[in-house]
Every structure is written in C-alpha cells, then in structure tokens.
Amino acid sequence: MNALKSEPFVLNIGPQHPSTHGVFRVKVTVDGERIIDAEMVMGYLHRSMEKLAEERTYTQNIPFTDRTDYLSSMSNNLGYCLAVEKLATIEVPDRGSAIRVIMAEFQRIASHCMAAGAFTNDTGAWQTPVMWAFREREKILDLFEMTCGARLTCNYMRIGGVAFDLPKEFEPHARKLVDTLPGFVDELEGLMSENEIFLARTRGVAVVPHELAANASLAGPMLRGSGIAWDIRKADPYCGYEKYDFDIPIGYQGDSFDRFIVRLEEMRQSVKIIKQALDGLPSGPHSTQVPLALRPPKGEAYARVEGPRGELGYYLVSDEGPSPYRFHIRPPSFINLSVLKQMTVGHSVADAIVALGSVDIVVGEIDR
Amino acid sequence: MSLLMLITDNWYDIRDLGNVSHEILYQLDRVLPYSLVYIIAALMGFVASFLIFVLPSQLFVGVLGERKIIGRMQSRYGPNRVGKFGLLQPIADAIKLIQKEALTPKAADKAVMYIAPIVFVAPAVLLFAVVPFGGHSVFADIPVSIVYFIAISGLPVLAAFIGGWSHANKYSLFGSMRIVAMTISYEVPLVLSLLSVVLITGTMRLGGHDGIDGIVQWQRDYHIWLIFLQPLAFLIYFFCVSAELNRTPTDIAEAESEIVAGYLTEYSGMKWGLFYGMDIGYALAAAAFASTVFLGGWSMFGLDRWIPSWLIIIAKTHLFYFIFIWTRGTLPRLRIDQLMTFAWKFLLPLSLANLLVIATEKVIWNKATDGNFDNFWVYIFAAVNILLSVAAVFIWARLLGYRPEATPKRPRLVNTASGYVPIPAPSREVR
Amino acid sequence: MHGAGPNLAFWVLAALTLVSAGGVMVSRNLLHAVLFLIVSFLGVAGFFILLSAPFLGMAQIIIYVGAIAVLVLFAILLTPRAGRDNGETRWAAPGVLLSIALMAVLLFVITDTKWTTAKDAPEITAADLGQALLSTWVLPFEIASVLLTAALIGSIMLVRSPEEEAEDALQ
C-alpha cells in the first residue's frame, strides 16, 4: 500500500521576518512542518567594511569595528586594537588593560542580555524576558554613555589604550550594578530555565554534537554548550586575563537550552571578573601615546579575543603604509551559523527559529 | 431604609436587570404586534449584553487593561499618553486601524478574504446570547445552552481557516492548517470536560433560577462551585479554551516569531482589527462561560441577594480573563506536535477518567440518597475529586515520562580550557 | 408557533438554504462550493431550531459545520489539483442522470407521504433523545460507533509512513 504523499514546498524565512534578527534569509524546504533542507542566504547587510578599511588609517578603522557586531562594540574595538598593537608592538599600560577588561566584560553581559532575551522571544515568550533583559542592558549602556558618550557604537578603545580615563562616578555606579546583576540572572533563570514549556521547546532541539562543534570551528557559547571547555581568555590570555579567577561554563549535549544556560552562567562569571578588576584597578596612564598616522612595520598579525559570540579575530597585513594592506575579520556568528543546516534539518519550522535564536547572530557581523 | 425598599424583585430592582426588561417587553406586548416585540427583545439583548458589557470590556479590559498589565509585568508603563491613564488608547487604535489602507494581495481570493472577518465576528456576538447575567437577565435561556456554546464557538475556526487560505500566502496557510488541526484536537477534551459537568448537574441549561434547573441554579442550590467539585474538568476546560482562542502558551496559529501572525499575515487595517478585537471577544466569552459553569455564574454564596448579579458575573469574567493575560505575559509557546501530544496523550485520557469518576459518583449519590441528592455527598465528592485530580495529573505526567529533576538547570564549570569534557557517567537521559 | 416572526424566519431560512445549495452546484471554485455548503448546513440548522428541536439544530452545527465542512476543506487543501476548473468533466452525463433519478425518488416520496400537522408537538429534550438512543435504538447506535472506530483505525493506517511500519515490524 502506498503511503499518502505530501509535496515539499519552499518557505522563505526572511529577509523580512520578525525572528531573523535583522535582514537574514533562510530558504527552507519543508515537508509538512518538517524541514528537509535549509539554505542560508546572506549579504543583505553587506557594507564592504573590510575593503573600505584598506583606504583608511589604522585609527580611522576603529569605528568600523563598532558597526560590525553592533551589540558588542567594545569587544570589537578591543580585538582590532590588540591586532594593531601586535602589528606595531605597542605596550598598553596596566590601567588601560584593566579598563579594557571591565568594558569588555560589561559588554559581554549586555550582549548576553540581548541574546538571552531575544532567544526567549523566539521561543514565543511574549516580550517579557526580553524586556527584563533590556532593563539590565540599559544600565550597562548607561555606564558606557557615562564613560565614552555613546551607548551602542562606543568607539572607546584606542591603539595603545582607551580613549578617556574612567570618570569619577563610574566606579560607584559600576559596583552598584555589579552587585545587582547576579540577582537579575537568578530572576531570568527562575523565569525561563525553570519553565516547563521553555524546557520542552529548547531541550534536545538543534543539537550540535561536540565533534561537529569542533570540526565546524564553532566558538563561544555555541562551542561551550556542546561540552567543550574552550575560552580564548583562558587558552590565549590577553589584557591580563590570566590574573583573574573565573570558570568556563560548559553544557551537556549541545542543545539550545545548554547554550542558553551557558550564556546565563557567563554573565555571572563576567560579574566575577569585573569585581576583581574594579578591586585591583591600577593607577597610572590609561593610554600610551601613539602617532596619529601610525605606520606599522611590514608584516602581518592576528589577534583574537573572546567576544560575547565567540572567538573574534582580526587579521591585519601592513605594507608600511598608513592604512592596512589587508583587513580581515573572523566573525564568530558567521562561523557559528555555518552549522544551521545540520541543526535544523529534521526539525520543524518552530524549532528552526529556536535554533537560529540560540546561535545568537548579529547580521551586521555576518555580512560586515 | 430606602435602599432596602428597592430590593423587591419589582421592575425597579437593580439587582437583576432582567426584571426591567421583562416589564418593558410585557408592556410593549400589550400595544405592539408579537413579531415587533420579538425584534425589540432581540435588540435589547444585543444592546444589553454586547454594547454594555462586551464592547467596553473589550476596549478597556481587553485592549487597554491587557496592555497595561503586561506592561507592568515587563517593567514598563504601558499606554499612558492618550487621555488620562491612556484611557483613550483603544479608541486611538481603532481610528488608526480604520484609516489604514486595507491591502489585498494580488493572488488572493478576494471574496473569501472579505467575508472571513465578518464570519469571524458574528459568532462572538451570538455567544453572549446564552450567558446569564442574573436570574432573569439572560437573553436566551435555552435548554441546550452548553451545546449551543460548543457549536457556535466552533464557527470562528472556519473563518480563520478560510481567511488564512484566501491570501495564497505560505505563512497564512501554515496558520490555517495549525488552527484547524489544533481546534479539532482540543474540541474533544473540551466537550468531554463539559460533559462531566452536564452529567453531575443533569442539565444543559446555563442559567436557571428558582424553579428552573440550570447550572448556575444547581451551584446555588448545593452551595458549591463546580470548580471545587470538578477541578480536573476546569483545568481541562482552561487548557482547551486557551488553545482554541490562541492565547499565549498555545498561540501557535498566530505565532509571531515563527509564522508571522499566521492567518492574519496579509490582513491589514480594520479587517485585521476585526480579527484582533474579536479574539478578545471570544476570550471574554470563554471567560464568561467558564465563570458561569465553574465559578458559580452570577451567584456568590448568598451575596447575590445584595450585590447586583450582573456585577458579580462581570467581575468573575474579568478575573478569569486576567489569567489569560497572565499566561500571555509569562509563558513561552509550545510547538505544534507538543500541543497535539498534550491534547491526545494527556488531556484526553484525563478527561475520560474524569468522566468515569463523575459517572460513578453520580450513581453512588443516587443510590445512597435514594434519589434525593442531598448536600452532604457533594462536599465529600468535592474533597475526593480534588485529591483525585491532583494525583491523576501528577501520576499521569510521570507515566508519560515527565522527569523535571532529570534535567540539569545549571551548566558545568571548569577552570581550564581543556577541550571536550565528557559527561560523567551515568549518562543523562535525553528527553 | 404562529405569527409573522416564525413565518418570516421560515422564508428567510428557506431562501438561504436553497440559494446556497444552488451556489454549491454553480460555483466553479471548489472551495467556494464548500463555503456555500456550509451556509446551506447553517440554514438547515435554523430549520431544526424553528421546529422546536434546538438540540438537533446545535448538533447539526457541531457535526456538519464544525466537523464535516472542515474535513472537506482539509481534503480540498490537501488535494493537489483542487484548483482546477471542474466544468468539463466526462462524468457530466452520468451525473445528470443520477440526479434526475434521485429527484424522481424524492418527488415520489414527497407526494406519497401523508403530511399531517401536529397541533402541539411534545418538546423533545436531549434527555429524551439519550433515552431513545440507549434503549430502543441501542443496536444501530452501537453499530455506528463500531463503524466510526473502524474508520478511525483505518485512517490512522492510511497516513502511516512506510518507515514507521518498518520500525513496527522490527519490534
């Protein structure tokens, strides 16, 4: 007896879809509600940053890095500045490094707030967790505004340090915030991690086995969610991360829920780091003097930082000119996204949305 | 004392608005032909139930209250710009919707697309015909009110289905398929849970008053709300009705984050507004029905002698509607297969078991009291049923493989970047 | 029931039912035909209510409008070539013949029946219907339920995929 046949049909998720976090498009072929094929279409937000950077000086490129991953501009600034410093062998004063760590970790918390909130939104929680997360994110952005005047595209780090020293009122505000943040993480955990429906929607959905995660060169919470303990801050410390005491949270089987709880725990660990950095904040200059028209010696350099989404690498080639000969970014969410097909095929459309949300993409970074 | 003198069951007795309408109709009947009085009665019923209760509730509780309460849950203010406390916000919304362009896709089946919102609205108005607002103030206290309610509440699904189908949009088609599949599944436990109510009360009439059997009258007679006597039926009713109404834990048919509002994707302007407004209308109807069947309707353990009965039922309805708002503000959405599993594997067996228990109790009650059906046994049954319901829910969930403690809620912590860390044996069950 | 109200209701319902039944025949679009059929069903439900059989009317709405019409809609939706024009089918001639035969039978039955009007029809409640179904007509009732169960199992068997069957064979 022949079974009833159903015809597969093609469904475009995006580029205008509330859950694609920007203009990103997935062309899925579905059989009923089950996905049998998924094809990613990128480039709707392409701004040609890497090519543009070849025409500008090293300092002028810092604002570009703000606009790649616009949810974690501090980490991007940091990665780029580290790459230039490596290329031109510039020493950063201790205070500059400590401020960089504080800012990068605050940025990680802010970005994870956004990630966790948007992810719960994708599972269908009607705006409540995302609003709670935004409430906390706002406080961090207020700190950024206090320090550098900008909230989203901070442009705070400079080659050789940071643009300005911390204002006087920064420390009390930061300490107050750091004390309340773990409470917020507990709150979100109580709302979502303990929620039966949320568990049902995310447990076992979009599983990335650890072999696949390693082979696909995933990074950040995606990799750690699969149970691989890897963190650039531990494996290849920069900015003096080796001085701070923190743990790497890892998940169990690599499903969406594991990635979610890993992000929540990373927020707690970031708070721990910020506390240590604030306690041991050295005095001294916040930056070294660097010539405005920097001409690094001929050569190439690759610097990587642990951004909120994973290994954020900057590759620079210099030909002794005032602008880089080649500028390339290793965007974590682009590479993390490469396993989307393996994550979604065989699942339903609803699960594909959850899978996409758990990757935590920023389309500005994917398309650059 | 003058207030007490008002309470006389005469036409000027404000506790039961039915008295005044009876009086008006009685006087009219003496001067006008029967058919005209008939039409006036229909208009009065419509005006009373819909324009006085449903529409204001829809605007101020459904639209404004819901947004305000959810706003507070999300630590923001909610609408507060138009008018005092944002009170005029629903009206501003409606004006915006009316002047918005109503788009029609080129490939759409235009006639069907235009008809669907109208078909969606009509049953919402009809549903309130059987909801009793007092002993006498019920527009149509027909003997088969419950069946009427089930029948009419099945119609909007049809409208949603043809509306979604007519746009020739894939997301809408998804929404249509989902809403029909879900409604068919959830109708079964819904009807079974109401059947157990009918079984114990022995009537399908919703209202009733002294001398006429009805579910509200039954609850008044035995001084107990059916939610205490049949907690399981109430729970099943709540889940089923929130699934049929597309409220949040189960709003897969119009899931914004997945299928972009489902069958509403291509609707704009007031056509969308009708769907949106009537969604709230249906939720209110379901709430009014639930408070009538399970929460004692317009009765309040004797307080209904002093408080106007229509105030009691309106308060109960809004209280029940608050649960809908609450779930919407806090819960994520289930997946369609999980919803189907929930209906067929969890709710259906439980509702069948509930029916069996209630049938047994009815027989015991009949035999033990020689057909007198006295109060005493009802309270025993209530205690037994509450215990049985709790036990049944937990045991059945366990049997289906629900193990909340098997899932770790916190990640593991390691201190070095040491690569893959295997999960320590014994390995966890994968749910 | 007497008076203008019920009379008016009768004529409105009759017109509604007949016109929409005609629409079922005339409309070329299969989905429109089903929608007309639904209106026709609703008209019939109205007749039941008019004849003081509200339970039957409600049952008509639940079963025909709520279940059967949706089933038909689903069937149309899942049929690949449902959108085709149905006008030039080669079954036109047999169809006409069949409907003429049916019409003849119906006309015969209608003219042959002795139509008596009851002055005061007893009100039939749902309880009475239940009594009748479970006492006098218990055998047809049970047969119908067995038939429905068989249909249910049959439909489950139909939609099973070959992979699932292979899985079951292995166990």
Side-chain angles (χ1 to χ4, degrees):
Chain A
M1 190 183 66
N2 268 343
L4 286 178
K5 258 200 226 153
S6 53
E7 269 180 53
F9 77 91
V10 177
L11 184 73
N12 267 310
I13 301 182
Q16 292 172 356
H17 187 284
S19 291
T20 52
H21 305 265
V23 278
F24 170 66
R25 176 173 159 215
V26 198
K27 222 166 107 182
V28 293
T29 312
V30 288
D31 176 15
E33 289 238 2
R34 211 166 53 91
I35 294 174
I36 51 178
D37 191 19
E39 186 191 325
M40 286 170 279
V41 185
M42 296 164 191
Y44 288 95
L45 207 62
H46 183 57
R47 288 156 297 171
S48 186
M49 282 178 179
E50 291 174 351
K51 193 69 189 165
L52 277 173
E54 293 170 11
E55 301 297 323
R56 284 154 190 266
T57 66
Y58 285 93
T59 315
Q60 279 174 337
N61 282 337
I62 299 175
F64 276 153
T65 62
D66 282 337
R67 283 156 182 81
T68 52
D69 181 352
Y70 39 76
L71 294 180
S72 56
S73 55
M74 288 286 189
S75 306
N76 291 329
N77 289 171
L78 178 58
Y80 175 72
C81 292
L82 283 177
V84 181
E85 283 152 15
K86 209 168 171 182
L87 194 64
T89 49
I90 296 165
E91 280 294 315
V92 181
D94 281 352
R95 187 175 171 84
S97 280
I99 294 175
R100 282 179 170 188
V101 167
I102 293 171
M103 287 302 171
E105 292 307 318
F106 267 130
Q107 185 71 75
R108 186 185 316 281
I109 299 172
S111 174
H112 281 347
C113 278
M114 179 80 185
F119 176 54
T120 51
N121 225 18
D122 287 341
T123 60
W126 200 78
Q127 303 274 329
T128 304
V130 83
M131 282 292 170
W132 289 18
F134 265 51
R135 189 185 62 207
E136 304 305 315
R137 183 171 172 264
E138 280 302 298
K139 294 174 188 163
I140 294 171
L141 296 189
D142 285 346
L143 282 182
F144 289 171
E145 191 179 11
M146 186 190 291
T147 315
C148 62
R151 297 160 65 82
L152 204 63
T153 51
C154 299
N155 191 17
Y156 179 55
M157 314 264 172
R158 288 290 182 276
I159 299 158
V162 292
F164 322 101
D165 204 354
L166 294 176
K168 257 194 219 70
E169 65 270 26
F170 179 87
E171 203 181 321
H173 274 98
R175 279 190 193 278
K176 213 170 110 192
L177 180 59
V178 158
D179 287 340
T180 57
L181 271 173
F184 155 70
V185 179
D186 292 342
E187 202 179 47
L188 198 62
E189 203 167 46
L191 183 70
M192 300 315 295
S193 306
E194 308 281 333
N195 189 319
E196 248 347 284
I197 300 176
F198 185 74
L199 276 168
R201 281 303 303 277
T202 52
R203 263 284 165 223
V205 168
V207 177
V208 182
H210 65 95
E211 300 94 352
L212 176 66
N215 288 345
S217 179
L218 302 187
M222 284 283 284
L223 184 73
R224 291 192 279 274
S226 300
I228 301 181
W230 182 258
D231 193 318
I232 308 292
R233 292 173 294 178
K234 288 269 187 197
D236 180 14
Y238 53 92
C239 288
Y241 264 112
E242 64 276 6
K243 290 184 292 191
Y244 304 114
D245 169 43
F246 65 98
D247 292 322
I248 307 174
I250 52 172
Y252 299 86
Q253 58 191 44
D255 54 20
S256 309
F257 186 72
D258 280 342
R259 294 193 272 276
F260 178 75
I261 54 176
V262 162
R263 285 199 181 98
L264 288 190
E265 187 60 38
E266 275 184 21
M267 283 155 79
R268 288 203 187 93
Q269 298 297 333
S270 291
V271 166
K272 228 166 123 185
I273 296 174
I274 294 170
K275 266 186 186 158
Q276 295 171 38
L278 281 174
D279 288 341
L281 195 65
S283 53
H286 61 274
S287 177
T288 42
Q289 277 297 323
V290 173
L292 210 56
L294 183 69
R295 287 169 187 268
K298 210 170 206 159
E300 53 183 49
Y302 177 75
R304 50 184 184 170
V305 295
E306 181 70 26
R309 282 162 195 80
E311 177 181 339
L312 177 65
Y314 284 86
Y315 176 68
L316 285 168
V317 181
S318 164
D319 59 351
E320 279 186 81
S323 52
Y325 174 76
R326 175 86 174 94
F327 172 57
H328 179 69
I329 307 171
R330 182 210 188 272
S333 46
F334 177 69
I335 291 165
N336 287 350
L337 194 63
S338 61
V339 288
L340 185 68
K341 187 174 170 180
Q342 282 95 322
M343 281 159 70
T344 51
V345 167
H347 287 303
S348 71
V349 175
D351 283 342
I353 303 293
V354 170
L356 190 63
S358 76
V359 179
D360 181 23
I361 56 167
V362 171
V363 181
E365 190 182 47
I366 292 167
D367 294 339
R368 301 190 291 291
Chain B
M1 282 315 281
S2 58
L3 190 75
L4 278 181
M5 279 172 66
L6 279 177
I7 302 170
T8 52
D9 252 2
N10 268 324
W11 65 269
Y12 43 77
D13 179 0
I14 55 154
R15 291 173 309 158
D16 194 339
L17 292 182
N19 294 330
V20 61
S21 68
H22 272 255
E23 187 68 25
I24 293 172
L25 290 179
Y26 177 71
Q27 298 295 341
L28 279 178
D29 202 26
R30 290 157 63 170
V31 288
L32 289 174
Y34 175 70
S35 50
L36 215 57
V37 177
Y38 200 75
I39 291 166
I40 291 172
L43 279 177
M44 269 174 58
F46 176 78
V47 167
S49 69
F50 201 76
L51 293 187
I52 295 177
F53 168 58
V54 183
L55 214 58
S57 297
Q58 233 167 333
L59 288 181
F60 293 108
V61 178
V63 179
L64 185 72
E66 181 158 355
R67 285 168 66 175
K68 278 262 183 200
I69 291 170
I70 287 190
R72 291 291 166 170
M73 285 176 181
Q74 298 174 346
S75 59
R76 57 187 174 86
Y77 286 110
N80 62 356
R81 291 285 136 181
V82 193
K84 195 93 181 142
F85 309 117
L87 273 175
L88 298 177
Q89 185 68 39
I91 294 156
D93 284 350
I95 292 170
K96 185 205 81 173
L97 282 176
I98 287 168
Q99 64 184 2
K100 225 173 158 180
E101 183 189 0
L103 295 168
T104 311
K106 217 172 195 175
D109 190 333
K110 289 188 186 56
V112 177
M113 189 176 166
Y114 273 82
I115 290 171
I118 302 166
V119 178
F120 195 76
V121 170
V125 184
L126 288 175
L127 279 181
F128 284 94
V130 292
V131 174
F133 289 86
H136 301 282
S137 50
V138 45
F139 176 57
D141 204 9
I142 53 176
V144 288
S145 310
I146 286 192
V147 191
Y148 173 90
F149 200 90
I150 296 167
I152 301 297
S153 62
L155 293 180
V157 178
L158 208 65
F161 178 84
I162 61 173
W165 180 87
S166 65
H167 311 147
N169 178 319
K170 284 170 183 171
Y171 287 112
S172 305
L173 201 61
F174 261 121
S176 297
M177 300 277 273
R178 283 178 173 193
I179 194 169
V180 173
M182 195 164 75
T183 312
I184 289 176
S185 304
Y186 275 86
E187 199 99 308
V188 180
L190 173 72
V191 171
L192 283 177
S193 76
L194 290 178
L195 194 59
S196 64
V197 170
V198 173
L199 200 62
I200 198 79
T201 56
T203 174
M204 288 201 274
R205 190 192 297 272
L206 274 183
H209 44 87
D210 297 315
I212 289 187
D213 273 349
I215 288 175
V216 176
Q217 186 58 31
W218 191 92
Q219 298 179 68
R220 283 181 79 203
D221 286 347
Y222 289 102
H223 305 292
I224 190 168
W225 290 355
L226 276 168
I227 185 178
F228 300 121
L229 191 58
Q230 304 198 8
L232 200 53
F234 175 76
L235 274 183
I236 293 167
Y237 173 82
F238 174 71
F239 288 134
C240 293
V241 104
S242 72
E244 293 202 0
L245 293 169
N246 281 310
R247 304 301 295 189
T248 277
T250 51
D251 64 340
I252 54 164
E254 43 189 73
E256 295 116 272
S257 65
E258 294 158 22
I259 53 170
V260 208
Y263 60 91
L264 298 173
T265 306
E266 297 284 356
Y267 277 114
S268 60
M270 209 51 209
K271 274 189 274 182
W272 178 85
L274 285 180
F275 272 108
Y276 174 73
M278 283 310 134
D279 256 354
I280 297 168
Y282 283 114
L284 280 170
F289 187 71
S291 29
T292 304
V293 172
F294 291 104
L295 301 179
W298 51 267
S299 72
M300 189 81 189
F301 303 122
L303 267 181
D304 45 302
R305 279 176 59 82
W306 307 104
I307 303 171
S309 53
W310 39 277
L311 270 183
I312 294 175
I313 177 93
I314 286 174
K316 282 177 181 171
T317 304
H318 289 171
L319 203 68
F320 195 88
Y321 188 75
F322 172 72
I323 304 177
F324 283 140
I325 301 177
W326 197 3
T327 57
R328 183 165 181 232
T330 43
L331 293 179
R333 180 188 309 121
L334 281 159
R335 208 167 54 215
I336 182 155
D337 58 318
Q338 289 164 344
L339 268 180
M340 292 295 164
T341 315
F342 186 63
W344 291 107
K345 286 193 181 163
F346 193 79
L347 292 185
L348 186 61
L350 279 187
S351 58
L352 283 172
N354 182 47
L355 195 62
L356 193 70
V357 169
I358 297 297
T360 317
E361 283 174 356
K362 177 91 177 184
V363 172
I364 292 172
W365 197 15
N366 196 1
K367 293 270 190 253
T369 59
D370 288 329
N372 282 330
F373 299 118
D374 60 8
N375 263 351
F376 171 68
W377 283 91
V378 177
Y379 300 129
I380 290 181
F381 291 152
V384 169
N385 282 349
I386 288 171
L387 291 177
L388 268 183
S389 305
V390 174
V393 167
F394 280 99
I395 291 171
W396 191 243
R398 283 264 151 188
L399 280 178
L400 287 178
Y402 167 71
R403 299 274 183 282
E405 69 282 351
T407 346
K409 308 270 165 50
R410 286 275 180 99
R412 298 174 283 167
L413 292 175
V414 284
N415 207 351
T416 49
S418 51
Y420 177 61
V421 183
I423 301 165
S427 65
R428 275 180 334 97
E429 273 178 68
V430 179
R431 290 213 307 164
Chain C
M1 273 209 235
H2 297 284
N7 264 331
L8 188 73
F10 173 81
W11 289 112
V12 169
L13 282 173
L16 191 75
T17 314
L18 286 179
V19 167
S20 52
V24 177
M25 289 190 295
V26 175
S27 67
R28 284 287 172 86
N29 189 328
L30 213 46
L31 191 103
H32 291 175
V34 178
L35 296 183
F36 276 122
L37 191 66
I38 291 169
V39 179
S40 180
F41 284 152
L42 282 174
V44 174
F47 276 122
F48 281 129
I49 295 166
L50 201 63
L51 292 171
S52 313
F55 184 78
L56 270 186
M58 293 308 131
Q60 165 91 9
I61 293 179
I62 292 179
I63 293 164
Y64 282 90
V65 182
I68 288 183
V70 170
L71 205 68
V72 176
L73 280 177
F74 241 78
I76 290 172
L77 202 71
L78 297 175
T79 313
R81 291 177 62 216
R84 71 180 189 275
D85 195 326
N86 237 358
E88 288 159 21
T89 161
R90 59 203 159 100
W91 295 97
V96 168
L97 279 180
L98 192 68
S99 45
I100 287 174
L102 186 66
M103 185 82 184
V105 172
L106 281 179
L107 275 178
F108 175 74
V109 171
I110 288 168
T111 48
D112 199 46
T113 312
K114 236 168 97 184
W115 297 93
T116 50
T117 39
K119 269 277 172 279
D120 288 306
E123 200 186 339
I124 309 240
T125 60
D128 298 334
L129 281 177
Q131 282 286 353
L133 272 182
L134 287 178
S135 54
T136 321
W137 306 102
V138 66
L139 193 64
F141 179 74
E142 287 300 327
I143 289 173
S145 22
V146 169
L147 183 74
L148 284 177
T149 314
L152 204 68
I153 296 168
S155 60
I156 291 171
M157 289 306 290
L158 265 178
V159 296
R160 278 164 64 86
S161 63
E163 295 99 55
E164 280 173 315
E165 267 170 43
E167 268 173 32
D168 277 11
L170 280 176
Q171 282 165 3

